[in-house]
Amino acid sequence: MVSPARTLGRGTVVRYAIGSVGTGGFGTLPGLVLLIYMTNTLGVNPAFAGAAFTVSKIWDVIIDPWIGARSDRSLARTGARRGFMALGAIGLPVFFVLTFAVPPGLSELASAAWVLIGFLLAATAFSFFQVPYIALPAELVDGYDDRTRLISARVIVLALAILAFGGGATEIVGLVTAGGGSEYLGYLVMAGVAGLVFGIAFLVASTVERSARGTSRPVVPATEREDGTAASKVGLGMHYRRGWSAVRSSQPYRALLVTFVVQALAIGLMLAGVAYVAAEILGTGVIVLFLSLIAPALLVTPLWAALSRRIGKERALRIATVVFAVAALSLVLLIWYPGPWLYAPVALAGAAYAGLQSLPLAMLPDTVAHDAARNGPGRAGTFSGVWTAGETAGLAFGGTILSIVLAVTGFIPTVAGQTATQPESATVGIIVSFSAIPAALMFGSLLSLARYPLRRSDIDERTRRVDSEPAAGNGAPTA
């Protein structure tokens, strides 16, 4: 059914954006510290560490579409998705602390297994929040530019969160060790502080749905009746078939999804390499390099929003992709000329990163609306579940690629308190993983982006049609 067009209030923007304090933190910390925690504190071989990290992310790819479909059913039956979001908010802090609570002295295999189990549970809790959270913009607001405004606010908060967690996490570890504590304790304290912030941010964001729902009547997926009596007949396989159907039936969504996943792979690879570049190439702490990558996003996110209003989201995304790729490719010169000059191209990549985050997420609700107009409503959660699975896979396999490169090039793992001089081959591997490979992935993503067909006129026409129709339930026509 067609619902009345929805406007975007300031309270909705603020509470929705606060959720990104948690998503930015959890999206950043594992990629930034988990691999180096395993190799440089627990003494786990990079191949084992990468395998544990990859298995946990494969689980995300499996569970996210199921959560998306289940949240669609929750919306149909109760009119809300927030129960899933609250469940994730409560579970994530507990399991995130568990991940970094590895007792000293465990064997290499036992340490890897501990981290794997803890992170599997933490990632599952995160998905319970993230999947419905990503689905909400399509239900909170209708306008082409309003969606960009909502997502831009979220990305600004996301950048702040990434800065705070990316820089603050290592500082917490450093403060604990400087005060006489072990690295093990430092990582545990870091996880406790981060987990508490995750939970609070998620609980705040879960309240946005109640006021934003307004008078819109929740849609009912075709797989069950309004009273929910067919719910028991919807098996696990049906959820995955719905996810595959979403990808197969919506060409705009498919093109955008492939673009975003490939770009997430490139970004995940660079984020995973930040700590190694800082330690092995620059010989400094990670915070300055991390700030130079993320801080520009705070300044330029509004500029990407303004550019998208002028030339369209898809063209603005193409520009952001090229800028990021060129900046990353220039970092290959670190092989021959290591030095602080790298902060300039890293900052340029950070400016492009803001567009790579905000623009696809603003385009995703457009694909949901396009699909609803063609195939009927009720699949926003399914779309977001597959999307989150793709993003998770991309970011995770970035770390996997880095772990493979480290293993192949002879990187020497250490335990807490030890140091090692890395061979030149490992240094070159770190640089290539931080520069040439992400650049190649970004250029490759332009191929799928070129197949994205939606333009402003397509979305505005849909919104004008909704505005011209009376509210559903009062003799309104349906779509």
Side-chain angles (χ1 to χ4, degrees):
M1 295 181 181
V2 175
S3 301
R6 294 148 291 192
T7 57
L8 187 61
R10 181 177 299 176
T12 298
V13 174
V14 171
R15 282 183 290 157
Y16 185 76
I18 286 175
S20 284
V21 173
T23 62
F26 188 79
T28 299
L29 282 185
L32 184 66
V33 304
L34 192 58
L35 188 60
I36 201 167
Y37 166 69
M38 296 177 73
T39 60
N40 288 25
T41 298
L42 303 181
V44 177
N45 184 278
F48 285 156
F53 194 70
T54 301
V55 167
S56 65
K57 292 304 183 179
I58 290 174
W59 170 247
D60 276 348
V61 174
I62 294 172
I63 197 69
D64 286 351
W66 178 83
I67 292 175
R70 296 290 298 185
S71 76
D72 279 341
R73 291 179 61 200
S74 176
L75 180 67
R77 298 179 64 185
T78 69
R81 303 180 189 271
R82 59 181 173 270
F84 284 80
M85 299 168 71
L87 183 62
I90 294 169
L92 179 58
V94 176
F95 298 132
F96 193 68
V97 169
L98 177 65
T99 303
F100 290 91
V102 181
L106 288 186
S107 67
E108 181 179 357
L109 184 59
S111 295
W114 182 297
V115 172
L116 171 61
I117 294 171
F119 194 55
L120 274 175
L121 294 171
T124 301
F126 177 71
S127 292
F128 270 96
F129 175 85
Q130 171 80 338
V131 172
Y133 179 69
I134 293 295
L136 286 181
E139 297 157 2
L140 295 177
V141 68
D142 293 307
Y144 182 89
D145 289 329
D146 276 348
R147 288 168 180 159
T148 305
R149 177 189 164 203
L150 180 65
I151 298 300
S152 294
R154 180 200 165 192
V155 170
I156 290 174
V157 174
L158 183 72
L160 283 170
I162 292 173
L163 283 174
F165 284 101
T170 54
E171 290 299 305
I172 290 175
V173 176
L175 287 173
V176 172
T177 55
S182 65
E183 280 189 26
Y184 295 92
L185 179 61
Y187 278 105
L188 184 60
V189 171
M190 174 214 72
V193 173
L196 180 62
V197 176
F198 295 162
I200 294 173
F202 287 175
L203 287 174
V204 170
S206 69
T207 67
V208 72
E209 191 179 23
R210 179 180 290 117
S211 62
R213 189 158 47 98
T215 60
S216 300
R217 186 181 182 184
V219 296
V220 181
T223 52
E224 60 181 280
R225 295 187 291 271
E226 290 191 31
D227 62 3
T229 55
S232 61
K233 298 180 181 179
V234 182
L236 184 64
M238 176 62 73
H239 296 311
Y240 291 105
R241 285 193 292 272
R242 289 190 70 197
W244 171 245
S245 175
V247 175
R248 186 179 57 187
S249 63
S250 175
Q251 195 275 328
Y253 175 72
R254 186 168 62 250
L256 184 63
L257 176 67
V258 172
T259 301
F260 189 68
V261 170
V262 174
Q263 293 183 353
L265 180 59
I267 292 169
L269 183 53
M270 286 197 76
L271 288 177
V274 165
Y276 290 94
V277 170
E280 307 298 342
I281 309 302
L282 297 178
T284 62
V286 70
I287 186 169
V288 177
L289 181 58
F290 195 78
L291 286 173
S292 68
L293 178 63
I294 303 301
L298 293 173
L299 302 176
V300 303
T301 295
L303 299 181
W304 288 115
L307 182 63
S308 73
R309 287 193 296 269
R310 185 176 183 85
I311 67 174
K313 300 173 192 176
E314 71 290 338
R315 292 178 181 173
L317 179 57
R318 189 174 297 114
I319 293 172
T321 302
V322 172
V323 171
F324 189 99
V326 171
L329 187 60
S330 69
L331 293 169
V332 173
L333 294 175
L334 284 171
I335 296 175
W336 303 281
Y337 306 106
W341 64 267
L342 92 162
Y343 292 119
V346 167
L348 184 61
Y353 173 76
L356 298 177
Q357 285 292 296
S358 61
L359 295 169
L361 287 172
M363 295 159 73
L364 175 61
D366 295 338
T367 68
V368 174
H370 179 266
D371 176 73
R374 290 170 56 90
N375 302 311
R379 299 204 297 179
T382 299
F383 272 55
S384 67
V386 176
W387 180 274
T388 305
E391 178 184 20
T392 299
L395 291 173
F397 283 109
T400 301
I401 292 174
L402 177 59
S403 68
I404 292 172
V405 172
L406 292 178
V408 169
T409 56
F411 181 86
I412 303 173
T414 59
V415 297
Q418 291 184 346
T419 58
T421 300
Q422 300 297 337
E424 183 179 354
S425 59
T427 300
V428 172
I430 291 170
I431 295 172
V432 170
S433 299
F434 192 68
S435 57
I437 301 177
L441 290 167
M442 280 292 171
F443 281 124
S445 73
L446 292 172
L447 298 176
S448 56
L449 181 57
R451 297 180 58 81
Y452 179 78
L454 296 184
R455 301 295 182 262
R456 176 193 297 273
S457 58
D458 300 309
I459 307 304
D460 285 347
E461 175 61 29
R462 164 72 177 165
T463 303
R464 282 192 296 269
R465 184 161 62 86
V466 169
D467 286 340
S468 67
E469 295 175 349
N474 296 308
T478 59

